Amino acid sequence: MFSKFALARAFTSLSSRDPRKDPRSVQLGLFRHRGVPCRLFTVLAVESSADDTCAAVVTSSRQILSNVVIKQHDLHEDFGGIHPTVAIEGHQRNMPIAVQRALHESCMSIQRIDGIAFTRGPGIGGCLSVGSNAAKTLAAALGKPLVGVHHMQAHALTPLLTSPPEERPQFPFLTLLVSGGHTLLVLARSHSSFRILANTVDESVGRTYDKVARMLKMPWGARGPAAALEEFCRQDIDDRSIPEIRPFSVPMPRQLAFSFSGLHSAVERHIFRSEAPLTEAHQHAIGRAFQDGAARQLSEKLVQCHSILRDEGIDVRHVVVSGGVASNLYLRARLRDALNDYSPDCRISLIYPPIELCTDNAAMIGWASMHRFLTGDYDDYSVELRSKWSIETISGDPGHLLDQL
């Protein structure tokens, strides 16, 4: 195991330039810095906060050596949402398989892993416990350091792993976190310092997407109800007999807060008032009106938030959008249009993780843990879960090395 001082020195050399990798670097865990072979720090990470069982191997040079995601959509579709007991049982079956696959696909043995990371919270308590127990047991048995990660922090930092250097967001940046459990606008000041600017007062946008998809009887498919609804709305269905649906209003105008329960209720009332069973064209019209309402609210609050930060003298040039709903291509286009209209003369960069890393995954957990491993800031093997955990209460920045990642 490395000392914290050796790790810090190694990391300083790691981050001073983009190294030229030896052809065998993936197998050996080595790269060359100024002609001298140097050791990478390699993390095995697990994630089980909701209904995806995930394991990944990530290195300090931004390599994702493996990224395994085992979904449970087929187990939960009949329940209309995540059933906690079923999800826990699914994680218990799948976690050993996910870890084994992650190690195999990375060509790494467990002995060559330097640290173990896991999602400590927030999430469904019983689901979190499966990943936590797996990570703690592996770390304790092998004598490896352990780090528990905040789930939404990991979503926010993913573009620091995946974006090329010229597109990488610079602190401070604004991040819109949109998922099945959260809708947050957050100012990211460093890897571990966050300020919540807007939260949802009721349900998250991802949960509302799921509910509307179920009301419109969308089949879940391989990606879940929200993705099925988006795909359905992209289809070209023309039926002029369907009356135009008036745009749904944006709640709490000029307030930095989200609310999606009203949008959900408006869709429900519209369906209830329909005298005949919905035709495909009517489903399509309702789905598009819902997507428009959700995108308008997210866009308006994002622009409002950026304007407030500008008035405070905080120069934000990058906006990161992450979480499962960030994979929605319609939302991406609407956010881009909104920022272009708001700041036509000074382009604000809008940055997303790759679509496959928007939804829950362990690669983001491994990367979010890296700065703590490299500064020797580990958790005890007895560290407790935090199923409810504000991103503002993550421990303070342990040092200047964080901003070199």
Side-chain angles (χ1 to χ4, degrees), residues 45 65 93 112 157 174-175 195 235 239 251 254 258 307 334 374 389 395:
L65 301 185
R93 287 192 302 272
R112 290 169 56 207
L157 299 181
L174 188 58
T175 179
R195 169 189 166 193
Q235 297 176 16
D239 189 337
R254 296 177 296 281
F258 296 101
S307 178
R334 293 292 296 273
L374 295 177
W389 187 8
S395 60

Side-chain angles (χ1 to χ4, degrees), residues 46-344:
V46 295
E47 145 66 22
S48 62
S49 61
D51 60 337
D52 292 340
T53 310
C54 312
V57 177
V58 180
T59 76
S60 52
S61 66
R62 292 187 171 85
Q63 292 174 301
I64 301 175
L65 301 185
S66 61
N67 186 40
V68 176
V69 179
I70 303 176
K71 295 189 174 293
Q72 300 182 8
H73 294 323
D74 58 328
L75 302 179
H76 300 283
E77 185 169 7
D78 290 343
F79 296 101
I82 299 175
H83 189 294
T85 302
V86 174
I88 293 167
E89 292 172 349
H91 286 311
Q92 290 171 338
R93 287 192 302 272
N94 293 332
M95 185 59 71
I97 299 169
V99 170
Q100 183 182 51
R101 281 178 52 191
L103 291 170
H104 175 74
E105 293 176 11
S106 66
C107 300
M108 296 286 289
S109 67
I110 189 65
Q111 289 77 17
R112 290 169 56 207
I113 295 295
D114 299 311
I116 311 291
F118 70 99
T119 305
R120 185 181 174 195
I124 302 171
C127 295
L128 288 168
S129 68
V130 178
S132 170
N133 291 340
K136 290 178 182 178
T137 300
L138 283 170
L142 298 167
K144 307 288 185 181
L146 178 76
V147 166
V149 172
H150 191 290
H151 183 83
M152 301 313 292
Q153 175 197 25
H155 275 304
L157 299 181
T158 302
L160 297 177
L161 167 65
T162 59
S163 299
E166 65 276 8
E167 298 176 11
R168 203 166 288 155
Q170 301 296 314
F171 294 111
F173 61 81
L174 188 58
T175 179
L176 176 63
L177 300 173
V178 280
S179 68
H182 298 84
T183 305
L184 292 169
L185 269 168
V186 176
L187 179 67
R189 294 175 289 208
S190 76
H191 288 76
S192 57
S193 177
F194 298 87
R195 169 189 166 193
I196 296 176
L197 301 166
N199 203 342
T200 179
V201 299
D202 38 58
E203 63 188 41
S204 70
V205 63
R207 186 167 299 165
T208 306
Y209 254 97
D210 289 346
K211 290 180 177 179
V212 171
R214 289 195 292 270
M215 285 190 285
L216 294 177
K217 297 180 170 49
M218 295 289 108
W220 281 34
R223 295 175 56 203
L229 176 58
E230 181 205 359
E231 185 175 349
F232 176 71
C233 290
R234 283 203 301 267
Q235 297 176 16
D236 186 14
I237 298 175
D238 183 19
D239 189 337
R240 299 186 182 183
S241 65
I242 299 299
E244 182 178 353
I245 299 175
R246 293 176 57 188
F248 298 118
S249 61
V250 173
M252 299 184 297
R254 296 177 296 281
Q255 294 185 44
L256 268 185
F258 296 101
S259 173
F260 291 95
S261 63
L263 181 58
H264 162 213
S265 298
V267 173
E268 190 172 39
R269 286 194 299 271
H270 189 91
I271 294 173
F272 181 77
R273 287 198 298 265
S274 300
E275 297 180 358
L278 296 180
T279 64
E280 184 181 62
H282 203 162
Q283 288 175 307
H284 194 258
I286 295 172
R288 283 192 166 185
F290 162 73
Q291 282 210 123
D292 171 73
R296 274 190 295 113
Q297 181 176 175
L298 293 169
S299 298
E300 289 183 19
K301 304 293 185 180
L302 173 61
V303 167
Q304 180 186 1
C305 187
H306 193 282
S307 178
I308 289 173
L309 291 176
R310 184 183 59 191
D311 292 343
E312 293 179 4
I314 300 174
D315 183 20
V316 174
R317 300 182 181 181
H318 300 90
V319 174
V320 168
V321 186
S322 194
V325 182
S327 62
N328 186 299
L329 299 180
Y330 176 80
L331 174 61
R332 291 186 177 204
R334 293 292 296 273
L335 291 174
R336 181 69 271 168
D337 289 344
L339 288 177
N340 288 346
D341 291 342
Y342 163 69
S343 181

